[in-house]
Amino acid sequence: SFVVMQCTYFFAIAITITITLVQAAPEHTLLLEHSFDGGIVWHQRGQVNFRPPSSFMDLTPEALQKSASIKQNPGLSSQLATSLEQLIEYDGLYKIRVSGSTPANAVMASIPACSILASDWKDDLKLQFDSSNKIVSLDYVPQTRECDESIPVYIKNWETSLSFGIGAIGVKPMDTFVPKSEQVQQDDSSQKSFLAKYWYYLIPVAIVLVLQLIVPEPEE
């Protein structure tokens, strides 16, 4: 009937809009910085871009790899090259950090400065996020950790391999006392968080229920 056709048409439009919104998940940008003086002064090395997974299909290693990219500044300035040379001379540590909106939530790692040259400026960068897409750890590994002090300092562009993983939601402890007022606030925030994350799954279910109420049953 005409009513059934109209309901089917609106249902198809709603599904299309839902899929489009899910695919258009906002891209996150993280700041990539490094330090040559023990973490006193940080200089921008580049940025990491990644798109959070919006479905279980996006959690495969292949999908995660495609959803992340890294853009780095070319080489080092003459001033930073001198700092690197001095750092290698005194067997210092090269430090790197990745942060979100503020340095307060940054994750850091360090390697012997001499391994930068020994690795021919090749390194691996692995980021780990929790279930709310907050960065929790950084694994930074040069191609080799064997240093050769006879290698003169030379500058070239970084060749970085980027990967990242998404953590699962763990079991929360049940024996911690929480005041009743805080429990109410936590319940409200949990409900809001649930709706914010899974609204695109609830819309099709709601539409199906509405269609079942609107579409008349065939007469016998």
Side-chain angles (χ1 to χ4, degrees):
S1 65
F2 178 74
V3 175
V4 174
M5 292 179 60
Q6 271 194 327
C7 292
T8 305
Y9 175 74
F10 287 119
F11 178 73
I13 292 178
I15 291 295
T16 303
I17 295 175
T18 302
I19 294 176
T20 302
L21 291 174
V22 169
Q23 291 177 345
E27 187 176 67
H28 289 215
T29 298
L30 304 174
L31 183 61
L32 178 64
E33 298 174 296
H34 52 185
S35 175
F36 301 86
D37 57 6
I40 300 176
V41 179
W42 292 90
H43 307 271
Q44 184 171 351
R45 173 173 159 174
Q47 66 182 33
V48 175
N49 301 314
F50 84 99
R51 191 176 299 278
S54 57
S55 67
F56 293 108
M57 297 291 292
D58 297 334
L59 293 175
T60 62
E62 295 80 7
L64 290 175
Q65 190 68 24
K66 293 179 180 179
S67 62
S69 63
I70 184 171
K71 182 179 180 181
Q72 302 189 85
N73 300 334
L76 295 178
S77 64
S78 57
Q79 180 181 358
L80 292 183
T82 301
S83 299
L84 174 60
E85 186 175 7
Q86 294 174 350
L87 198 60
I88 294 175
E89 181 180 355
Y90 292 103
D91 296 326
L93 294 176
Y94 168 78
K95 292 181 176 290
I96 186 173
R97 75 179 182 183
V98 178
S99 61
S101 55
T102 61
N105 60 358
V107 290
M108 293 181 286
S110 60
I111 60 173
C114 56
S115 62
I116 295 177
L117 301 181
S119 300
D120 192 28
W121 298 79
K122 297 181 177 69
D123 50 19
D124 295 324
L125 188 67
K126 182 174 182 179
L127 304 175
Q128 186 71 26
F129 297 85
D130 62 13
S131 57
S132 61
N133 299 319
K134 179 182 178 182
I135 184 170
V136 293
S137 68
L138 163 63
D139 188 15
Y140 181 61
V141 182
Q143 192 177 60
T144 178
R145 292 184 180 271
E146 298 180 1
C147 291
D148 186 354
E149 296 181 356
S150 64
I151 301 177
V153 175
Y154 66 97
I155 305 300
K156 62 178 294 187
N157 293 338
W158 299 95
E159 296 181 37
T160 302
S161 175
L162 175 66
S163 60
F164 75 96
I166 304 293
I169 301 176
V171 179
K172 296 183 179 179
M174 301 298 294
D175 56 352
T176 303
F177 173 76
V178 180
K180 187 174 182 180
S181 59
E182 295 185 10
Q183 288 181 356
V184 174
Q185 294 178 357
Q186 290 179 0
D187 292 341
D188 292 341
S189 61
S190 299
Q191 292 176 1
K192 293 179 182 178
S193 177
F194 177 81
L195 292 175
K197 287 184 178 180
Y198 303 109
W199 62 268
Y200 43 83
Y201 294 117
L202 299 176
I203 288 179
V205 176
I207 294 176
V208 171
L209 294 176
V210 171
L211 289 177
Q212 291 179 347
L213 297 175
I214 295 177
V215 178
E217 295 183 358
E219 299 180 359
E220 296 181 357

PDB file of all heavy atoms in Angstrom, residues 64 183 185 217:
ATOM      1  N   LEU A  64      42.685  -0.333  11.323  1.00  0.00           N
ATOM      2  CA  LEU A  64      43.362   0.602  12.217  1.00  0.00           C
ATOM      3  C   LEU A  64      44.569   1.238  11.543  1.00  0.00           C
ATOM      4  O   LEU A  64      44.851   2.423  11.712  1.00  0.00           O
ATOM      5  CB  LEU A  64      43.804  -0.123  13.494  1.00  0.00           C
ATOM      6  CG  LEU A  64      42.685  -0.551  14.455  1.00  0.00           C
ATOM      7  CD1 LEU A  64      43.257  -1.352  15.606  1.00  0.00           C
ATOM      8  CD2 LEU A  64      41.933   0.660  14.978  1.00  0.00           C
ATOM      9  N   GLN A 183      27.241   8.651  42.983  1.00  0.00           N
ATOM     10  CA  GLN A 183      26.682   7.563  42.186  1.00  0.00           C
ATOM     11  C   GLN A 183      25.668   8.087  41.183  1.00  0.00           C
ATOM     12  O   GLN A 183      25.607   7.648  40.036  1.00  0.00           O
ATOM     13  CB  GLN A 183      26.023   6.535  43.101  1.00  0.00           C
ATOM     14  CG  GLN A 183      27.014   5.706  43.909  1.00  0.00           C
ATOM     15  CD  GLN A 183      26.305   4.695  44.786  1.00  0.00           C
ATOM     16  OE1 GLN A 183      25.083   4.662  44.848  1.00  0.00           O
ATOM     17  NE2 GLN A 183      27.079   3.872  45.469  1.00  0.00           N
ATOM     18  N   GLN A 185      25.573  11.115  39.871  1.00  0.00           N
ATOM     19  CA  GLN A 185      26.300  11.816  38.817  1.00  0.00           C
ATOM     20  C   GLN A 185      26.947  10.837  37.853  1.00  0.00           C
ATOM     21  O   GLN A 185      26.935  11.036  36.644  1.00  0.00           O
ATOM     22  CB  GLN A 185      27.366  12.728  39.435  1.00  0.00           C
ATOM     23  CG  GLN A 185      26.787  13.879  40.251  1.00  0.00           C
ATOM     24  CD  GLN A 185      27.865  14.723  40.881  1.00  0.00           C
ATOM     25  OE1 GLN A 185      29.055  14.413  40.754  1.00  0.00           O
ATOM     26  NE2 GLN A 185      27.471  15.775  41.569  1.00  0.00           N
ATOM     27  N   GLU A 217      -1.817  -4.143   9.741  1.00  0.00           N
ATOM     28  CA  GLU A 217      -1.715  -5.571   9.423  1.00  0.00           C
ATOM     29  C   GLU A 217      -2.641  -5.907   8.266  1.00  0.00           C
ATOM     30  O   GLU A 217      -3.733  -5.355   8.155  1.00  0.00           O
ATOM     31  CB  GLU A 217      -2.105  -6.374  10.659  1.00  0.00           C
ATOM     32  CG  GLU A 217      -1.146  -6.184  11.834  1.00  0.00           C
ATOM     33  CD  GLU A 217      -1.535  -7.051  13.015  1.00  0.00           C
ATOM     34  OE1 GLU A 217      -2.570  -7.763  12.895  1.00  0.00           O
ATOM     35  OE2 GLU A 217      -0.828  -7.011  14.047  1.00  0.00           O
TER      36      GLU A 217
END
